Coordinates of all heavy atoms in Angstrom, one line a residue:
E1 N 90.5 97.7 100.4 CA 90.6 99.0 99.8 C 90.8 100.1 100.9 O 91.5 101.1 100.7 CB 89.4 99.3 98.9 CG 89.4 98.6 97.6 CD 88.2 99.0 96.7 OE1 87.9 100.2 96.6 OE2 87.6 98.1 96.2
D2 N 90.1 100.0 102.0 CA 90.2 100.9 103.1 C 91.7 101.0 103.6 O 92.2 102.1 103.9 CB 89.3 100.6 104.2 CG 87.8 100.9 103.9 OD1 87.6 101.7 102.9 OD2 86.9 100.4 104.6
Q3 N 92.3 99.9 103.8 CA 93.7 99.8 104.3 C 94.6 100.6 103.3 O 95.5 101.3 103.7 CB 94.1 98.4 104.5 CG 93.5 97.8 105.7 CD 93.9 96.3 105.8 OE1 93.8 95.6 104.8 NE2 94.3 95.8 107.0
L4 N 94.4 100.3 102.0 CA 95.2 101.0 101.0 C 94.9 102.5 100.9 O 95.8 103.3 100.9 CB 94.9 100.4 99.6 CG 95.5 99.0 99.3 CD1 95.0 98.5 97.9 CD2 97.0 99.2 99.2
R5 N 93.6 102.8 101.0 CA 93.3 104.3 100.9 C 93.9 105.0 102.1 O 94.4 106.1 101.9 CB 91.7 104.4 101.0 CG 91.2 105.8 100.7 CD 89.7 105.8 100.6 NE 89.2 105.0 99.5 CZ 88.6 103.8 99.6 NH1 88.4 103.3 100.7 NH2 88.2 103.2 98.5
E6 N 94.0 104.4 103.3 CA 94.6 105.0 104.4 C 96.1 104.8 104.5 O 96.8 105.3 105.4 CB 93.9 104.5 105.7 CG 92.5 104.8 105.8 CD 91.8 104.0 106.9 OE1 92.4 103.3 107.7 OE2 90.5 104.0 106.9
L7 N 96.6 104.1 103.5 CA 98.0 103.7 103.5 C 98.4 103.0 104.8 O 99.5 103.1 105.3 CB 99.0 104.9 103.2 CG 98.9 105.5 101.8 CD1 99.8 106.7 101.6 CD2 99.2 104.4 100.7
H8 N 97.5 102.2 105.3 CA 97.7 101.4 106.5 C 98.0 100.0 106.0 O 97.2 99.2 105.7 CB 96.5 101.4 107.4 CG 96.6 100.5 108.5 ND1 97.5 100.7 109.6 CD2 96.1 99.3 108.8 CE1 97.4 99.7 110.4 NE2 96.6 98.8 109.9
I9 N 99.3 99.7 105.9 CA 99.8 98.4 105.4 C 100.3 97.6 106.6 O 101.3 97.9 107.2 CB 101.0 98.6 104.4 CG1 100.7 99.7 103.3 CG2 101.4 97.2 103.8 CD1 99.5 99.4 102.4
P10 N 99.4 96.6 107.0 CA 99.8 95.8 108.2 C 101.2 95.2 108.0 O 101.6 94.9 106.8 CB 98.7 94.8 108.3 CG 97.5 95.4 107.6 CD 98.2 96.2 106.5
E11 N 101.9 94.9 109.1 CA 103.2 94.3 109.0 C 103.2 93.0 108.3 O 104.2 92.7 107.6 CB 103.7 94.1 110.5 CG 105.1 93.9 110.6 CD 105.6 93.9 112.1 OE1 105.3 94.9 112.8 OE2 106.3 92.9 112.4
E12 N 102.1 92.2 108.4 CA 102.1 90.9 107.7 C 102.2 91.0 106.2 O 102.5 90.1 105.5 CB 100.8 90.1 108.1 CG 99.6 90.8 107.5 CD 98.3 90.2 108.1 OE1 98.1 90.4 109.3 OE2 97.5 89.6 107.4
F13 N 101.9 92.2 105.7 CA 102.0 92.4 104.2 C 103.4 93.0 103.9 O 103.5 94.1 103.4 CB 100.9 93.4 103.8 CG 99.5 92.9 103.9 CD1 98.7 93.3 104.9 CD2 99.0 91.9 103.0 CE1 97.4 92.9 105.0 CE2 97.7 91.4 103.1 CZ 96.9 91.9 104.2
W14 N 104.4 92.1 104.1 CA 105.8 92.5 103.9 C 106.1 93.0 102.5 O 106.9 93.9 102.3 CB 106.7 91.5 104.4 CG 106.6 90.2 103.7 CD1 105.8 89.1 104.0 CD2 107.3 89.8 102.5 NE1 106.0 88.1 103.1 CE2 106.9 88.5 102.2 CE3 108.2 90.4 101.7 CZ2 107.4 87.8 101.0 CZ3 108.7 89.8 100.5 CH2 108.3 88.5 100.2
A15 N 105.5 92.3 101.5 CA 105.9 92.7 100.1 C 105.3 94.1 99.8 O 106.0 94.9 99.1 CB 105.3 91.7 99.1
L16 N 104.1 94.4 100.3 CA 103.6 95.7 100.1 C 104.3 96.8 100.9 O 104.5 97.9 100.4 CB 102.1 95.8 100.4 CG 101.2 95.1 99.4 CD1 99.7 95.1 99.9 CD2 101.2 95.7 98.0
Q17 N 104.8 96.4 102.1 CA 105.6 97.3 102.9 C 106.9 97.6 102.1 O 107.4 98.7 102.1 CB 105.9 96.7 104.2 CG 104.7 96.8 105.1 CD 105.0 96.8 106.6 OE1 106.2 96.5 107.0 NE2 104.1 97.1 107.4
D18 N 107.5 96.6 101.5 CA 108.7 96.8 100.7 C 108.4 97.8 99.6 O 109.2 98.7 99.3 CB 109.3 95.5 100.1 CG 109.9 94.6 101.2 OD1 110.1 95.0 102.3 OD2 110.3 93.5 100.8
L19 N 107.3 97.6 98.9 CA 106.9 98.5 97.8 C 106.6 99.9 98.3 O 106.9 100.9 97.7 CB 105.7 97.9 97.1 CG 105.3 98.5 95.8 CD1 106.3 98.3 94.8 CD2 104.0 97.8 95.3
G20 N 106.1 99.9 99.6 CA 105.8 101.2 100.2 C 107.0 102.1 100.4 O 106.8 103.3 100.7
K21 N 108.2 101.6 100.3 CA 109.4 102.4 100.6 C 109.7 103.3 99.3 O 110.5 104.2 99.4 CB 110.6 101.5 100.9 CG 110.4 100.7 102.2 CD 111.5 99.7 102.4 CE 111.2 98.9 103.7 NZ 112.1 97.8 103.8
H22 N 109.0 103.0 98.2 CA 109.3 103.8 97.0 C 108.6 105.2 97.2 O 107.5 105.3 97.7 CB 108.7 103.1 95.8 CG 109.2 103.6 94.5 ND1 108.7 104.8 93.9 CD2 110.2 103.2 93.7 CE1 109.4 105.0 92.8 NE2 110.3 104.1 92.6
K23 N 109.3 106.2 96.7 CA 108.8 107.5 96.9 C 107.4 107.8 96.1 O 106.7 108.7 96.5 CB 109.8 108.6 96.3 CG 110.1 108.4 94.9 CD 111.2 109.4 94.4 CE 111.5 109.1 92.9 NZ 112.7 109.8 92.5
L24 N 107.1 107.0 95.1 CA 105.9 107.1 94.4 C 104.8 106.1 94.8 O 103.8 106.0 94.1 CB 106.1 107.0 92.9 CG 107.1 108.0 92.3 CD1 107.4 107.7 90.8 CD2 106.5 109.4 92.4
F25 N 105.0 105.5 95.9 CA 104.0 104.4 96.4 C 102.6 105.0 96.6 O 101.6 104.5 96.1 CB 104.5 103.8 97.6 CG 103.5 102.7 98.1 CD1 103.3 101.5 97.4 CD2 102.8 102.9 99.3 CE1 102.5 100.6 97.9 CE2 101.9 101.9 99.8 CZ 101.8 100.8 99.1
S26 N 102.5 106.1 97.3 CA 101.2 106.7 97.5 C 100.5 107.1 96.2 O 99.3 106.9 96.1 CB 101.3 107.9 98.5 OG 102.1 108.9 98.0
E27 N 101.2 107.6 95.3 CA 100.7 107.9 94.0 C 100.2 106.7 93.2 O 99.1 106.6 92.6 CB 101.7 108.7 93.1 CG 101.2 109.1 91.7 CD 100.0 110.0 91.7 OE1 99.7 110.6 92.8 OE2 99.3 110.1 90.7
W28 N 101.0 105.6 93.3 CA 100.6 104.4 92.7 C 99.3 103.8 93.3 O 98.5 103.3 92.6 CB 101.8 103.3 92.9 CG 101.5 102.0 92.2 CD1 101.6 101.6 91.0 CD2 100.9 100.9 92.9 NE1 101.2 100.4 90.8 CE2 100.8 99.9 92.0 CE3 100.5 100.6 94.2 CZ2 100.2 98.6 92.3 CZ3 100.0 99.4 94.6 CH2 99.9 98.4 93.6
V29 N 99.2 103.9 94.7 CA 98.0 103.4 95.4 C 96.8 104.2 94.9 O 95.8 103.7 94.6 CB 98.2 103.5 96.9 CG1 96.9 103.3 97.6 CG2 99.2 102.4 97.4
R30 N 97.0 105.5 94.8 CA 95.9 106.4 94.3 C 95.4 105.9 93.0 O 94.2 105.8 92.7 CB 96.3 107.8 94.3 CG 95.2 108.8 94.0 CD 95.7 110.2 93.8 NE 96.5 110.3 92.5 CZ 95.9 110.3 91.3 NH1 94.7 110.1 91.1 NH2 96.7 110.4 90.2
M31 N 96.3 105.7 92.0 CA 96.0 105.3 90.7 C 95.3 103.9 90.7 O 94.4 103.6 90.0 CB 97.2 105.3 89.7 CG 97.7 106.7 89.4 SD 99.0 106.8 88.2 CE 100.2 105.6 88.7

């Protein structure tokens, strides 16, 4: 949860990094 809260997505989490390219990613993480 801490990594998500800080939007610190390690490189090994490639699928989440792909998702993180979406403009609404930070809002989605917040929800």
Side-chain angles (χ1 to χ4, degrees):
E1 284 185 45
D2 286 341
Q3 288 172 312
L4 282 173
R5 192 173 294 105
E6 297 166 10
L7 291 179
H8 174 71
I9 312 297
E11 197 172 308
E12 68 192 66
F13 294 106
W14 61 266
L16 287 176
Q17 285 202 350
D18 287 354
L19 192 61
K21 295 173 185 169
H22 194 281
K23 63 184 178 193
L24 298 175
F25 180 68
S26 60
E27 178 63 16
W28 180 86
V29 167
R30 187 190 67 73
M31 290 187 310

